[in-house]
Amino acid sequence: MAIVGWIVEDLGRFLFGKDPAVHPRTRLGRALPLIGAVAGMVSVLPAYQYYLGNARGSGDRDWLLLIVASGLIAAPIALVATRPLLAWRIAFLAAILTPLRIQLEQGTPWPWQPLQMLSYPLILAVVAIRHPRGVVLWTGVSAFLLVTLYVRPPNIAGLLLLVMAILVVGDQIRRRREVQRALAEEEERSELAQARRAVAEERNRIARELHDVVAHHMSLIAVRAETAVYRIEGVPPAVAEELQAIAGTSREALTEMRRLLGVLRDDSLPLTEPQPTLDELDGLVREAREAGVRVKFSPVPGTPVPPGVGLAAFRIVQEALSNARRHATGAPVTITIRRHESDLVVLVRNEPTGATPGPVGKGKGHGLLGMRERATAVGGTLLAGPVADGAYEVVATLPLNGAA
């Protein structure tokens, strides 16, 4: 039953299916419509001469039949480059409507005009190259039917062999093209896989270098801060407490860096550790105050915030505080988080320090770039730069609807 279904489906494609959209690339392909029009006019001349010489007393029906058949002979030539299957349908109709009686009475061994004998093999070849095998088989069946019905018996075998050879060669050309296309796609996939491997190797190399350099120094900072109270005599309690805070912060940074390095080594591993949210901003602000930064924090009222937005807001505030400590030492920092309609607005402002401000919204370091990427990832925007009174502001607008 499946074979019968395929046969019927291929027959439907042969009778009613469309040709693939192909634009002629060669000059000959673009000139074929004009050649078809000229061929149509040329094919009308013999019919007209026959009508004048031999059709005395016949009605206008014979004359109209000659004109229609001549047009049907020329049309496939104009369509073969772009619509080969449609061209064969028209050619098949022309082969039936061609006035065979005229040429057979004159003793011509072939029932069709020379123009048809030249164009039909070309149409069959293009159909075999452009269409799948099932459509090609039905095209061959229709060609065999024409040959067996209208060709004289001595010429049938040779013409059938010619039709079969054309269809087989065209089908092989089509299969070769498909194989070449598949090989090209496979090579493209292979090149993409090689590029991904190269990226993975480079990521691993960067991860190793970061681990060897940054982790070593961070570990050294943590160890020296923890052991300073034992190595140095007479350390005041306040200094000892500050050293312990430095050691704790260093170890937290080491833990987070190791997690990020693990992701960098293998981007297929999901993050299993909980990500920070807005609820952890209090701890971030407390650490900044313990480090000597004067921070005024106005948190958002207790409303649910999507995890992606919360993570982006936390990282933006974290980076903004780091920038304030580096570039505006001693300046008070104000952190304001509020809801504005369907957006979460994060404002980090550090007061002027007397230094010459840089250009608005421009930054050469990775901090501002990372903050912008965080905001863009959740569909938001970020503006950063000095304002009129000399202060520096970072304003992130993060949408709450539809954020991941």
Side-chain angles (χ1 to χ4, degrees), residues 299-332:
V300 66
T303 54
V305 175
V309 175
L311 175 60
F314 180 90
R315 294 304 187 192
I316 290 172
V317 172
Q318 185 182 39
E319 184 61 32
L321 279 175
S322 299
N323 290 342
R325 287 197 298 266
R326 287 195 299 266
H327 305 297
T329 305

Side-chain angles (χ1 to χ4, degrees), residues 96-392:
I96 296 176
L97 296 181
T98 300
L100 308 180
R101 175 176 53 84
I102 299 173
Q103 299 177 14
L104 291 176
E105 289 177 353
Q106 296 176 351
T108 305
W110 300 103
W112 299 296
Q113 296 183 8
L115 187 61
Q116 291 175 286
M117 299 298 296
L118 293 176
S119 62
Y120 287 1
L122 174 63
I123 299 172
L124 288 174
V126 178
V127 170
I129 293 173
R130 298 274 181 84
H131 285 272
R133 182 169 296 175
V135 176
V136 174
L137 288 176
W138 279 109
T139 305
V141 170
S142 63
F144 287 176
L145 180 63
L146 290 177
V147 171
T148 54
L149 289 179
Y150 297 122
V151 176
R152 292 185 176 182
N155 301 322
I156 290 179
L159 201 54
L160 289 179
L161 289 176
L162 176 62
V163 171
M164 185 180 299
I166 292 173
L167 295 178
V168 170
V169 172
D171 183 70
Q172 292 301 313
I173 293 175
R174 178 188 58 81
R175 291 187 60 188
R176 178 179 176 83
R177 286 184 174 181
E178 291 178 352
V179 171
Q180 290 177 343
R181 190 181 302 112
L183 287 176
E185 294 176 355
E186 183 64 27
E187 290 178 358
E188 184 178 357
R189 287 193 293 268
S190 177
E191 292 176 359
L192 181 59
Q194 292 178 0
R196 289 176 177 173
R197 284 196 296 270
V199 170
E201 292 175 359
E202 183 65 15
R203 287 161 63 99
N204 288 332
R205 185 186 65 81
I206 295 173
R208 287 194 300 269
E209 292 182 358
L210 283 175
H211 181 271
D212 294 342
V213 176
V214 181
H216 169 74
H217 291 292
M218 292 296 295
S219 300
L220 185 61
I221 291 173
V223 171
R224 290 176 64 87
E226 286 181 344
T227 60
V229 295
Y230 305 104
R231 292 183 291 102
I232 302 174
E233 297 181 358
V235 177
V239 176
E241 185 177 353
E242 184 69 18
L243 290 173
Q244 291 297 322
I246 293 174
T249 303
S250 300
R251 293 197 178 279
E252 290 179 2
L254 272 174
T255 301
E256 185 171 355
M257 189 193 68
R258 289 192 182 99
R259 179 180 61 83
L260 294 176
L261 289 180
V263 175
L264 186 62
R265 288 191 179 99
D266 187 359
D267 55 357
S268 63
L269 295 177
L271 296 177
T272 56
E273 298 183 10
Q275 297 296 299
T277 61
L278 285 181
D279 297 335
E280 301 182 32
L281 280 179
D282 291 331
L284 185 65
V285 171
R286 183 174 60 254
E287 292 178 359
R289 288 170 178 168
E290 293 174 354
V293 182
R294 292 178 292 170
V295 182
K296 181 181 179 181
F297 178 43
S298 300
V300 66
T303 54
V305 175
V309 175
L311 175 60
F314 180 90
R315 294 304 187 192
I316 290 172
V317 172
Q318 185 182 39
E319 184 61 32
L321 279 175
S322 299
N323 290 342
R325 287 197 298 266
R326 287 195 299 266
H327 305 297
T329 305
V333 179
T334 302
I335 303 173
T336 304
I337 300 178
R338 66 181 187 275
R339 292 184 67 119
H340 179 69
E341 296 180 353
S342 61
D343 297 328
L344 183 73
V345 179
V346 179
L347 170 63
V348 182
R349 170 189 171 96
N350 59 270
E351 300 301 328
T353 59
T356 302
V360 177
K362 302 291 183 180
K364 296 182 179 179
H366 295 284
L368 287 178
L369 178 61
M371 286 191 288
R372 288 194 178 93
E373 290 177 348
R374 290 281 185 182
T376 305
V378 294
T381 58
L382 184 136
L383 298 176
V387 292
D389 59 356
Y392 195 92

